[in-house]
DNA sequence: CCGTATCCTTGATGATACTG
DNA sequence: CAGTATCATCAAGGATACGG
């Protein structure tokens, strides 16, 4: 249990702030960020169009948005070459690379437990199916 | 658009499937799941209303949705006690608990690097501010 | 090539009211 | 208490076209 004193101040905090990993989840696991970081980590520095082609269904607008956000957060470095035609290259930063062990842990959990999630879903759907249908 | 030649097979893969951790991200880091799992992990088994009060801004509808999803994925166990008034308790499952080291890694990265993200943002905003205002 | 600007659709969420 | 149902809102994302 929490301390008996000043417990209201603890309850009043923002819902997601009550969870200490909420901020980093926002930064690292918002939509498209992991595929982008993965692509940059796997295939190294590359141009806008290469990323666009790799993340097949992403639109240039959204790709720009996410890259700007990642650049602002210091996870990605953007380099502009003032040539004709213009050339822009993106690469993962040291800070971005520091996420590698985290992603590795995630991948490990994935290979170890994703199957259990699938089983759980089958179980649940079977139970729900028989319950709603009233066999 | 679906040409029968071989080159389509590589391009047609799902955008997020190109990233091997995309599935687990969907499961574990979709909205509200980490605060819920955290609350269940920290404070143990608890009732619907307790969770609702802890996650201050969540609505019962959304809480129900997220709990159902977590239950279906096998991360949370729901126990229904047919009493008057009804009592329902939620607790984290073993599979859910297996995420603990992952969350710990995340928390470590957080304490080590969240400050750098803030710095990067200040830098970026300063650069952008001076660029748009131009002098 | 590397984006931006615009319009539009949709899925997620909030508000409110109501049952077993 | 523990939800469900319904309606309203709203911002993220997609489609398309265009510009430096």
């Amino acid at each position: 249990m929490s301390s008996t004193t000043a417990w209201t101040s603890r309850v009043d905090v923002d819902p997601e702030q009550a969870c200490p990993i909420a901020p980093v989840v926002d930064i690292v696991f918002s939509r498209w960020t992991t595929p982008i970081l993965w692509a940059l980590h796997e295939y190294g520095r590359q141009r806008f169009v290469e990323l666009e082609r790799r993340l097949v269904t992403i639109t240039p607008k959204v790709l720009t948005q996410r890259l700007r956000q990642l650049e602002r957060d210091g996870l990605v470095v953007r380099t502009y070459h003032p040539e004709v035609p213009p050339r822009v290259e993106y690469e993962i930063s040291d800070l971005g690379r520091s996420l590698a062990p985290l992603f590795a842990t995630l991948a490990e959990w994935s290979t170890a437990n994703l199957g259990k999630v699938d089983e759980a879903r089958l179980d649940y759907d079977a139970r729900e199916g028989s319950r709603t249908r009233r066999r």
Side-chain angles (χ1 to χ4, degrees), chain A:
Chain A
M1 272 310 195
S2 56
S3 64
T4 49
T5 57
W7 67 277
T8 52
S9 61
R10 261 189 100 45
V11 177
D12 281 355
V13 288
D14 233 82
E16 319 220 331
Q17 304 305 344
C19 172
I21 63 171
V24 66
V25 169
D26 263 8
I27 293 167
V28 179
F29 298 103
S30 49
R31 195 159 156 75
W32 283 112
T33 56
T34 47
I36 291 174
L37 287 176
W38 185 271
L40 289 176
H41 184 266
E42 276 297 289
Y43 304 100
R45 179 194 304 173
Q46 52 199 297
R47 307 174 66 164
F48 185 88
V49 131
E50 297 180 80
L51 279 171
E52 195 179 355
R53 279 195 270 262
R54 242 183 265 284
L55 310 171
V56 196
T57 65
I58 203 171
T59 61
K61 188 184 74 171
V62 173
L63 180 55
T64 302
Q65 285 175 352
R66 306 273 76 119
L67 283 172
R68 287 284 183 282
Q69 180 187 326
L70 289 169
E71 187 196 359
R72 188 173 107 99
D73 291 345
L75 301 177
V76 158
V77 176
R78 175 182 184 268
T79 314
Y80 176 78
H81 304 272
E83 308 168 349
V84 183
R87 184 162 57 94
V88 176
E89 288 183 318
Y90 293 91
E91 60 185 322
I92 196 166
S93 70
D94 288 342
L95 187 56
R97 255 183 289 271
S98 75
L99 290 167
L102 178 66
F103 285 8
T105 308
L106 214 42
E108 284 165 28
W109 191 93
S110 197
T111 54
N113 298 302
L114 218 54
K116 298 181 184 175
V117 172
D118 284 337
E119 281 180 42
R121 286 178 175 175
L122 290 176
D123 273 21
Y124 183 91
D125 292 346
R127 272 185 290 130
E128 281 309 295
S130 61
R131 192 187 294 181
T132 51
R133 281 148 192 265
R134 269 293 297 131
R135 241 218 333 149

